[in-house]
Amino acid sequence: MTTLTKESGAGAPADSGAFLSVRDLYVRFKTEDGVVKAVDGLSFELERGKTLGIVGESGSGKSVTNLTILGLHNPMFTTVEGEIVLDGQELITARESELEKVRGNKAAMIFQDPLTALSPYYTVGRQIAEPFWKHTGASKKAAWDRAVEMLGKVGIPNPKERAKDYPHQFSGGMRQRAMIAMALVCDPDLLIADEPTTALDVTVQAQILDLLKDLQQEFGSAIIFITHDLGVIADMADDIMVMYAGGAVERGSVNEVLRSPQHPYTWGLLNSMPRLDSDLSTPLAPIPGAPPSLLKPPSGCRFHPRCTFQGEVGGARCVDQLPLLPAGRGGACHLTAEQKQTIFIEQIKPRLR
Ligand code: SF4
C-alpha cells in the first residue's frame, strides 16, 4: 500500500526509497496583498503502481502541491522549500532542462479541462506524437503511429482517421481521452490526474475512470488522483490524504478513512455528500463557513473557525495549538481517540447511513 509518513517530517530519512517522496513541502506565493501560504509543511510518499487520492476543497493546496511536483509553478512569484524526490531524483533543486526531461516522460499530468491543455492549432495526433518523439528520439512517423495506437487504447473509434482531427472536432469526453493518451504516450511512472472527470457527464465520467484503472494495470503507473469527490476516490484510490488549508489533516487506506474517519473536516466532507438512497427533500449538510484565506491562516488548528467540536477539547487548545498529524494512520486533531470514536459512532455514522 501507499506509505504515508509523518507530517512534520521529523526523524524521516532523507531517502526512504519510495518512488515519490514529498517531505516538509512549503509553497508560498508573493501577491500584492501579502504572502499566500499555499502548502504548509506537507509530507507523503507513493509507491509504484498505487493510487493516492487527494481530497479537499478549492484552495486546500492539492493542485498546487502537484503542479510543484512537476515544476509547473512560476519561480518569479513562488518560493518552494522542502524535498521532492521522484525515483531518486530531487526535483526542487533540479534545473529546468532536467525537469523538462521528467515532464511527459517520467511523470505526466491530466488536467481538468482538456481545452486548456490541448492547442486548437494542431491536430490531436500531432499533440500526442510530439512528447513521444521529443523524449524517445523516435522518428516522426513512428511517433505518429504511436499516437494512433494510443488513441485506440483510450477508446477513440477509427483512431487512424481521428488522429488527423483538431480538438474542436472531438466531443468533451473524447478530448479527455485524447489528453489521457497524451499523458500516457511515454509510459510515465507517475500520472497526476487533477479533477480529470469533473467537467464530464456521469456516464462518460465512469468510462474515463474505468479507462484510467485499466491503463494503470497495463502501464503500472503510480497515480495521484486529485478530486473533491469522495465517491470517485472510493472507486479509484488505494489510500486517501485529506487536505485542508495547505496541510494534510487525515490519511489512511480508503477503507480506513471512509469507514472510520478521524478528523471533523473529513466527517464534514462525508456528511455533505449526496446519497442515492436519501429522501430528495432531505437537505445536504454543507460544512459551515468557508475555507480560510491562506494570506493569514487561522491560528492553532486551521479548521477551528468551522469546527463544531472545539468544546469537546476544552480550553483554547484548538485556537492556540496546531495539532500534528501522527505517523501512519490518524487525523490532525486534539480530540482523543476515544472522543473521536464516540462522536463518530453517535453523531456522524447515523447520518451517513
Ligand atoms: Fe476541531 Fe479542535 Fe480537532 Fe481542530 S483540533 S478539528 S478545531 S476539535
Side-chain angles (χ1 to χ4, degrees), residues 201-253:
D201 68 51
V202 179
T203 318
V204 182
Q205 184 181 54
Q207 289 169 0
I208 297 283
L209 295 180
D210 284 345
L211 172 67
L212 278 173
K213 281 189 275 188
D214 290 347
L215 293 172
Q216 184 182 35
Q217 288 275 316
E218 183 178 342
F219 291 91
S221 310
I223 298 182
I224 295 179
F225 200 96
I226 306 168
T227 182
H228 59 272
D229 187 335
L230 281 167
V232 169
I233 286 283
D235 192 29
M236 289 297 295
D238 298 293
D239 294 291
I240 300 182
M241 179 165 73
V242 182
M243 287 190 71
Y244 188 78
V249 294
E250 173 154 12
R251 57 198 168 196
S253 71

Side-chain angles (χ1 to χ4, degrees), residues 115-159:
L115 274 183
T116 56
L118 293 169
S119 165
Y121 302 112
Y122 299 108
T123 62
V124 170
R126 178 181 163 161
Q127 294 183 66
I128 298 170
E130 192 171 311
F132 191 71
W133 64 256
K134 203 167 130 192
H135 288 297
T136 65
S139 69
K140 291 197 175 173
K141 162 82 175 67
W144 181 267
D145 290 345
R146 169 77 172 168
V148 171
E149 182 198 341
M150 288 306 298
L151 280 175
K153 269 195 202 297
V154 299
I156 301 287
N158 195 10

Side-chain angles (χ1 to χ4, degrees), residues 263-265 301-305 307-313 317-319 321 323 332-335 340:
H263 194 281
Y265 178 60
C301 172
R302 304 282 188 255
F303 189 56
H304 86 253
C307 184
T308 50
F309 300 100
Q310 285 180 65
E312 310 279 341
V313 172
R317 214 167 147 219
C318 294
V319 180
Q321 250 183 59
C333 173
H334 293 311
L335 291 166
K340 285 178 195 165

